Amino acid sequence: QAHALNARAFVVGRGRHDRLARWIGGESVLRLLQLGDVPVLAAEATLTRLPRTVVIATDFSAYSIYAAEVALPLVAPDATIILVHVAPPFEQLDPRLLPQAVTYREQAQTLLRSLSQRLQHPGLTIEERLLEGDATDELLAVVKSTGADLVVSATHGYGFLRRMILGSVATALLRNAPCSVFFVPGTARTHAVARQLGGAELNTQHVTRESYDQELNAFAARNQGRRCTVEIDQPDIGSQHLGHGLPLIGATYDRADGRVALMFGASELHGMHVTHAIAEAASIDIRSDAFGRDQLLAITSASGLTLVLLE
């Protein structure tokens, strides 16, 4: 139903507070996250107003930053936002890692400050917390000690099989957090960017079949080495996030069997690369911004849609 309506989010209840009910309700939410591609708000019955104390977990990836931005419209205008990053326990792992730990903390503190500035709106209070240890334990401790109304996290599902097992942090928050939880799948950002790139402000080149090979080669040459996010959407299995940060090294079309081949790799791989093949290509669109810089390659085929978002 959500796919049919092109829904932008799910809102569901978490059930009663007893452990068994929360566990059962949690499994339903996990299934929505596993099979869907839109944010999920799992609300406690106590959430009767916009949340005023909100904990946002971040690992500084594009997906967790997007999750934080998506969550902002859900919070009260005068809310307190607590940005939390949990660093690995370097010294506990090996005392010799102390120099790396110092560098990591300095960089993480800078990134926290940058994200705080990015999210800042009049009326909001934003706190930054850099912690160290087990991510799940530390996040839950902050949620409980602050009496948070909402905890926000991205979920990184980069492929159909991997998405069947969500990250331990997201699962633990869903099952153990004493407040409402808001999860944003990694693929939600991809779809949002695709919708944005599909706007009228971009120039769309509809490639004719006669020039598939020529235009794909030119596209690859223009964007050699640019990192990409690759997503496919097939009616039988839904959306799959194949990967992000993949350097583009080639794109070809085989007239004999109508197959498009997209190649990703890096110079240090000494000629080795990963190829994603698309059989029976039916249409190819290339979208660019006002400056002529390519932003999106869209390929439709008998099996569905492949999107290559250029970062």
Side-chain angles (χ1 to χ4, degrees), residues 192-202 204 287 295-296 309-310:
V193 171
R195 285 193 295 267
Q196 181 182 9
L197 293 177
E201 71 277 6
L202 292 183
T204 300
R287 294 174 185 169
Q295 300 293 322
L296 172 69
L309 300 167
L310 294 158

Side-chain angles (χ1 to χ4, degrees), residues 43-60:
E44 290 281 358
T46 53
L47 189 67
T48 58
R49 62 180 184 180
L50 293 176
R52 300 191 71 250
T53 303
V54 181
V55 173
I56 300 180
T58 182
D59 61 4
F60 308 121

